[in-house]
Amino acid sequence: MAAVGTPSASTGLLGLGQLQLTLPGSRLQWLALAAGLGLGGIGAELAWHHPLSGPLALAAWGAVALLAALFWVKTPLLLMAPLPVLGLAPWSGWISFEEMDLLVTACGCGGYLAYALQLNARDRAPAWRHALVYSPAVVVLILALALSAAWSMKRGFADAGGFVFGWFQGYHEAMNSVRNAKAIFLVLALLPLWTAAAAARPKGFSRGLLLGLVLALAGGSAAALWERLAYTGLLDFSTDYRTTALFWEMHVGGAALDGFLVLTLPFALLALLRTRSPWHFGVGLAIVLLAAYACLTTFSRGVYLALPLGLIPMVLLADAQRRRAAAQGAESSHIDSGLGAVDEPMPRAAKIGALAMAAAFALAAALVFGGGGYRGLLALFFVMVVLLTMPASLWLPPVGQRLTALVMGGLLALVLGGASWALSLAVPYAAYVLNAVALACCVLLRWRDEPGQARPVYVLLVSTCWFWLLATMVIVADYWGGTAGRWTALTAGLALAGIWAAMLLEPRLWPLQGAGSTGKAGWRKRALLVAGLLLVMSIVAALGGGAYLRDRVATWKEDGQTRLTHWREGLRLLHGGQQWLLGRGSGRFVPSNFYEGPTSAQIGDYRQRTDENGGTYLALTAGQHTQSYGGLFRVSQRIAPPAPGAVQVSLVGRAADANIALEICEKNLLYPDNCSSSRILLKPPQADEAQPPGGWQTKHAKLGPVPRLGGDWWAPRFVTFSMSLDTRGGRVDIASIEMQDAQGRPLLRNGDFSHEMAHWFFSSDRHHLPWHIKNAALHVLFEQGLVGLALLGGAYLLALVRLSFGRGRDHPLAPAIVAALIGFGVVGAFDSLLDAPRIGFIFFTLLLLGLGLRALPGEGVARVA
């Protein structure tokens, strides 16, 4: 590895430089070799046992390990980018293990081997500086966190009756302790590798982490967009449907998507604020807007609260970084000149103008949408876009000439608006055509601008066309919404007209006036403001376009009381000083709540059993709570869309009077649609009937006729077969189940359960409280006790203080990590979060990195223009 600061080799594969293998030359490299081989053995074993295809999983695992070896400095990119879309539990049936485990072991194996064998010439020699450094006290704290998690896992095994390994265990069994606790150990397994990577190439490591989280956000948000497009429609904000994307961890409720969004969105926004490339800016802006839509469709009040509470400190910290960089001069060690120039800070008067404009648009959007619907809102958007692209030459004439142009333009626009309104009444759809014509005139005038030239007539024409465009917006709202649309839009138009008049007469109020609007990076301000307009429009549409979000907001007090009651009941499950001090054990909330909680917490369950002849069967039980349709405990399998027509089902089972509900539905995770269902009643044979061997009975049922399922090619829907019991407290044993569509094709895999629970997955669509304690701090308290809560809380606060005010405050990613941790804490106040391993992995990655990251020469914020 060349010394830091010297030119890197650019030859070889993909510019990696000279690739060669060298025996480890130090104790650390020998340890890295052992770690790489150990992770390789674990990962290969997991891959080989993957329920979908062991050979294919092993081949994919090997490919990732090779990539990690070649790009070991950027393993955070390889890890984070696919994380939100790499959860195959609904197909595989795995929950104790998952694809994230394969990804971590592959990256660890390849990365440690590359480091140990000194594969890459650029990364071969030790660097004199380190971007990831842990003080002895922090090392002790991290080890204490790991010890607390390990001890919690041990207590969980004991509470489950002892450790028993299994590939397909559920929430009641010992392996659930591994599932709940593994996130921190997966991060710790990679932390020494990341420490070496941050020493070898600090910029490469930081940018890899940033890009990985941004791509993860893009993938997760795209999955949310697909889900809304496929199952509800993009603009449907009334249906009781909360987005889950591809986070299978929400199969029993929870807030995995919420936690993911608040952990990753700050990094995309920080990258957007700092990029200087129009192409990168456009891509980043698309990702941020896509993520904003995903945030809205979670309908999560926690997310709505977490984002401003996290992003406002991020912006303030990023601005403080920039001011410190400017004060230290162009040669500051905390300035990365490769990023280019940034905009100058906005003057105070311009900030007031920006706030006034934002408030006026928010008010106008609410008024126009209420009366003029989506069409009026779109017309208002174009009005604001034209306003934000006003040329700087408008302020060159003297104030008297600007005032004259403003008054005359308003009068001329009033005449044009009156004529346009009369025409819209006489000719169908003329309102939309006139709006388009006015917009085209504004665009033409903007194109004919002559920068630096004072032209009073040009000011008059621009004012006239913009006021006319404003009038046609009112006409569109009137045409679509009638009297209500007319008067609400007129009120909004007058407010915007007043704002523009004040800004044209007083240049200091104009947010885009000055060097910032005409300089190299001035286009970014306008683009960011347009993005803000789109975000405000989305919020207005979500609030005004559907009743579901309004109902969610209106019931916050009742839901809060339900949470408080649930928390009190959860804490009653801790008995004695030892459990309060050390916790009840990792993964033990669900079974503890089942046996000791209220009746509503006695949920359904499943186990694989073996009969006296060695045959395997599924024991399925129903909960003791009221068996509403949404509260049923379902065991499901993703299937190929069946051919339209009747589906034949053959089931071998036994029970003492239990109804088995069978259904085929279009369903992503929690919300079934287009269902075809049937019921099978299993009861013991009568005294005069022949007793079947082992009590097993063969039952046949027909589902359908099933319609065409699977959705459209551009918005496909998953098809799911589910079994459940609607008999309160009932139990049924299922030895096998077969299903054929109208063309005779078999639809189920592992229907005889000979491969344990491979391909089978369980869910509870609406009955969620028994599965989570619904608070991240109480989750840690329940599993690790006051000791674990104190350790994690201390690490959390230390990371926030260190990245906000301490040695890590000038690291490029510090503001985003602070925002992510704050957002996680806010959402975690209303949900457990850490019982979802993928979310826990991201959280512990940011937390542990936040305890050690520091800025180095050549890193940090961009030079101020």
Side-chain angles (χ1 to χ4, degrees):
M1 178 180 61
V4 174
T6 61
S8 302
S10 59
T11 60
L13 179 65
L14 299 176
L16 290 173
Q18 182 183 2
L19 299 178
Q20 64 182 50
L21 298 179
T22 306
L23 287 176
S26 66
R27 181 181 300 177
L28 286 178
Q29 289 173 345
W30 281 108
L31 290 174
L33 179 62
L37 294 175
L39 289 172
I42 295 172
E45 179 72 10
L46 289 176
W48 184 250
H49 284 87
H50 197 282
L52 297 181
S53 173
L56 184 60
L58 187 59
W61 183 91
V64 174
L66 177 60
L67 284 175
L70 293 175
F71 304 100
W72 70 275
V73 169
K74 294 189 177 182
T75 49
L77 170 60
L78 297 176
L79 273 168
M80 297 297 177
L83 209 55
V85 296
L86 202 64
L88 303 181
W91 291 272
S92 70
W94 259 6
I95 63 170
S96 298
F97 304 103
E98 55 186 307
E99 291 68 32
M100 179 183 71
D101 305 329
L102 302 180
L103 197 61
V104 171
T105 54
C107 288
C109 175
Y112 278 119
L113 291 180
Y115 175 77
L117 302 178
Q118 306 175 67
L119 178 65
N120 196 326
R122 292 188 300 172
D123 309 326
R124 195 162 297 148
W128 62 268
R129 58 184 183 176
H130 301 273
L132 190 57
V133 178
Y134 296 97
S135 67
V138 171
V139 171
V140 171
L141 176 60
I142 293 175
L143 292 177
L145 284 171
L147 180 61
S148 178
W151 189 256
S152 172
M153 192 161 52
K154 178 179 180 298
R155 291 178 65 85
F157 294 156
D159 192 69
F163 176 72
V164 177
F165 180 82
W167 292 104
F168 296 95
Q169 292 184 12
Y171 280 30
H172 288 258
E173 298 157 283
M175 288 301 295
N176 195 47
S177 298
V178 176
R179 188 187 73 87
N180 265 28
K182 67 182 178 181
I184 188 173
F185 297 108
L186 293 176
V187 177
L188 288 173
L190 297 174
L191 198 59
L193 177 68
W194 290 345
T195 303
R201 280 190 283 143
K203 284 185 184 179
F205 174 77
S206 296
R207 291 175 180 174
L209 177 62
L210 176 65
L211 182 58
L213 290 168
V214 172
L215 291 178
L217 177 66
S221 301
L225 181 71
W226 153 78
E227 184 181 7
R228 300 296 298 187
L229 186 64
Y231 293 94
T232 66
L234 293 182
L235 300 179
D236 182 353
F237 298 107
S238 295
T239 302
D240 182 5
Y241 189 108
R242 297 182 63 185
T243 307
T244 59
L246 296 177
F247 285 95
W248 66 263
E249 297 89 341
M250 299 177 71
H251 65 137
V252 288
L257 177 60
D258 305 359
F260 168 78
L261 290 171
V262 298
L263 283 172
T264 54
L265 181 55
F267 293 89
L269 185 58
L270 186 68
L272 182 67
L273 293 174
R274 287 184 172 166
T275 185
R276 304 294 160 250
S277 163
W279 165 247
H280 292 164
F281 185 89
V283 174
L285 183 59
I287 293 174
V288 168
L289 292 175
L290 189 62
Y293 177 81
C295 291
L296 280 175
T297 57
T298 63
F299 297 104
S300 169
R301 292 157 296 192
V303 171
Y304 300 160
L305 180 62
L307 288 178
L309 291 180
L311 295 180
I312 291 174
M314 185 196 79
V315 173
L316 295 176
L317 290 173
D319 186 63
Q321 279 187 341
R322 183 171 60 176
R323 285 188 281 104
R324 286 192 296 271
Q328 294 172 8
E331 302 302 323
S332 167
S333 63
H334 298 302
I335 293 177
D336 182 1
S337 59
L339 292 177
V342 298
D343 302 330
E344 291 180 346
M346 189 180 293
R348 180 173 298 179
K351 290 180 180 178
I352 295 174
L355 290 175
M357 183 184 294
F361 175 72
L363 176 63
L367 291 172
V368 170
F369 184 75
Y374 286 105
R375 299 174 189 180
L377 191 61
L378 182 62
L380 175 63
F381 173 72
F382 287 126
V383 167
M384 293 301 297
V385 170
V386 172
L387 179 62
L388 292 175
T389 56
M390 291 292 187
S393 61
L394 295 180
W395 283 268
L396 294 180
V399 65
Q401 293 180 349
R402 296 201 303 272
L403 177 60
T404 302
L406 191 66
V407 173
M408 292 182 63
L411 293 175
L412 290 173
L414 189 61
V415 174
L416 289 172
S420 300
W421 182 58
L423 187 60
S424 70
L425 295 177
V427 180
Y429 302 108
Y432 306 122
V433 175
L434 291 168
N435 180 256
V437 171
L439 178 62
C441 292
C442 291
V443 172
L444 178 63
L445 283 173
R446 183 63 179 89
W447 178 60
R448 298 294 296 175
D449 174 49
E450 296 181 6
Q453 300 294 320
R455 298 186 296 165
V457 175
Y458 181 73
V459 180
L460 171 63
L461 293 175
V462 169
S463 298
T464 301
C465 287
W466 186 78
F467 282 132
W468 182 33
L469 180 64
L470 196 60
T472 61
M473 180 270 294
V474 177
I475 294 171
V476 168
D478 173 63
Y479 184 81
W480 189 87
T483 304
R486 179 194 314 156
W487 293 111
T488 54
L490 183 60
T491 303
L494 291 174
L496 290 175
I499 290 288
W500 167 239
M503 291 181 175
L504 183 61
L505 297 177
E506 177 49 73
R508 291 177 298 177
L509 292 174
W510 181 237
L512 301 171
Q513 183 69 7
S517 65
T518 57
K520 181 179 179 182
W523 56 270
R524 299 176 62 257
K525 283 185 179 179
R526 289 186 170 86
L528 287 171
L529 288 172
V530 171
L533 298 182
L534 291 172
L535 182 58
V536 171
M537 288 173 58
S538 301
I539 295 172
V540 169
L543 286 169
Y548 184 47
L549 180 55
R550 293 197 299 270
D551 293 342
R552 295 267 306 159
V553 173
T555 59
W556 68 271
K557 187 176 294 185
E558 294 82 355
D559 292 346
Q561 186 60 47
T562 302
R563 280 286 200 279
L564 290 173
T565 302
H566 182 64
W567 294 339
R568 284 194 295 266
E569 292 173 348
L571 292 178
R572 290 195 188 105
L573 302 176
L574 294 176
H575 308 298
Q578 189 179 54
Q579 288 191 359
W580 275 94
L581 189 64
L582 300 176
R584 188 141 184 181
S586 173
R588 301 312 298 165
F589 176 76
V590 173
S592 300
N593 201 26
F594 180 90
Y595 289 110
E596 302 176 33
T599 302
S600 61
Q602 296 180 18
I603 49 181
D605 190 23
Y606 72 96
R607 300 289 173 90
Q608 189 181 35
R609 303 296 189 189
T610 303
D611 62 19
E612 60 276 5
N613 298 320
T616 59
Y617 63 90
L618 173 68
L620 178 62
T621 59
Q624 295 289 346
H625 56 86
T626 302
Q627 298 296 291
S628 63
Y629 180 76
L632 296 179
F633 179 84
R634 290 176 167 85
V635 173
S636 308
Q637 185 173 141
R638 291 265 172 90
I639 62 174
V647 172
Q648 304 294 330
V649 180
S650 176
L651 182 145
V652 178
R654 63 187 179 189
D657 289 326
N659 266 321
I660 306 177
L662 310 175
E663 58 185 5
I664 295 176
C665 303
E666 291 180 327
K667 179 180 180 181
N668 178 32
L669 196 64
L670 298 178
Y671 307 102
D673 192 19
N674 291 338
C675 293
S676 299
S677 61
S678 181
R679 277 173 167 72
I680 294 178
L681 175 62
L682 284 176
K683 58 182 180 179
Q686 300 297 322
D688 58 346
E689 296 178 350
Q691 297 288 332
W696 297 108
Q697 306 174 54
T698 301
K699 296 287 184 177
H700 301 281
K702 182 174 72 173
L703 302 179
V706 176
R708 176 187 173 273
L709 300 177
D712 301 301
W713 65 267
W714 44 269
R717 291 183 168 197
F718 296 133
V719 181
T720 300
F721 167 74
S722 299
M723 303 183 294
S724 60
L725 298 182
D726 59 6
T727 304
R728 186 173 181 177
R731 167 175 168 165
V732 62
D733 297 336
I734 302 174
S736 67
I737 182 170
E738 297 179 354
M739 193 164 63
Q740 294 180 332
D741 68 4
Q743 296 181 357
R745 296 180 304 173
L747 297 175
L748 295 179
R749 302 176 64 182
N750 191 28
D752 59 358
F753 307 101
S754 58
H755 294 88
E756 301 184 59
M757 293 302 293
H759 309 295
W760 293 98
F761 188 62
F762 68 95
S763 66
S764 178
D765 292 354
R766 301 281 182 177
H767 193 50
H768 297 157
L769 282 181
W771 299 92
H772 317 271
I773 201 168
K774 293 291 184 178
N775 180 279
L778 296 183
H779 171 84
V780 177
L781 173 63
F782 186 90
E783 294 194 344
Q784 302 183 38
L786 291 170
V787 172
L789 180 60
L791 290 172
L792 185 59
Y796 179 84
L797 293 175
L798 178 61
L800 288 178
V801 172
R802 189 178 179 279
L803 295 174
S804 300
F805 311 105
R807 193 166 186 182
R809 64 177 183 169
D810 282 317
H811 190 275
L813 301 184
I817 296 178
V818 169
L821 293 179
I822 292 175
F824 183 90
V826 174
V827 174
F830 308 101
D831 226 297
S832 301
L833 293 182
L834 291 175
D835 56 0
R838 281 190 287 179
I839 306 308
F841 180 81
I842 300 175
F843 168 73
F844 281 114
T845 294
L846 299 180
L847 177 67
L848 298 186
L849 290 180
L851 293 173
L853 284 175
R854 63 175 183 174
L856 291 175
E859 285 196 305
V861 301
R863 180 182 289 119
V864 177

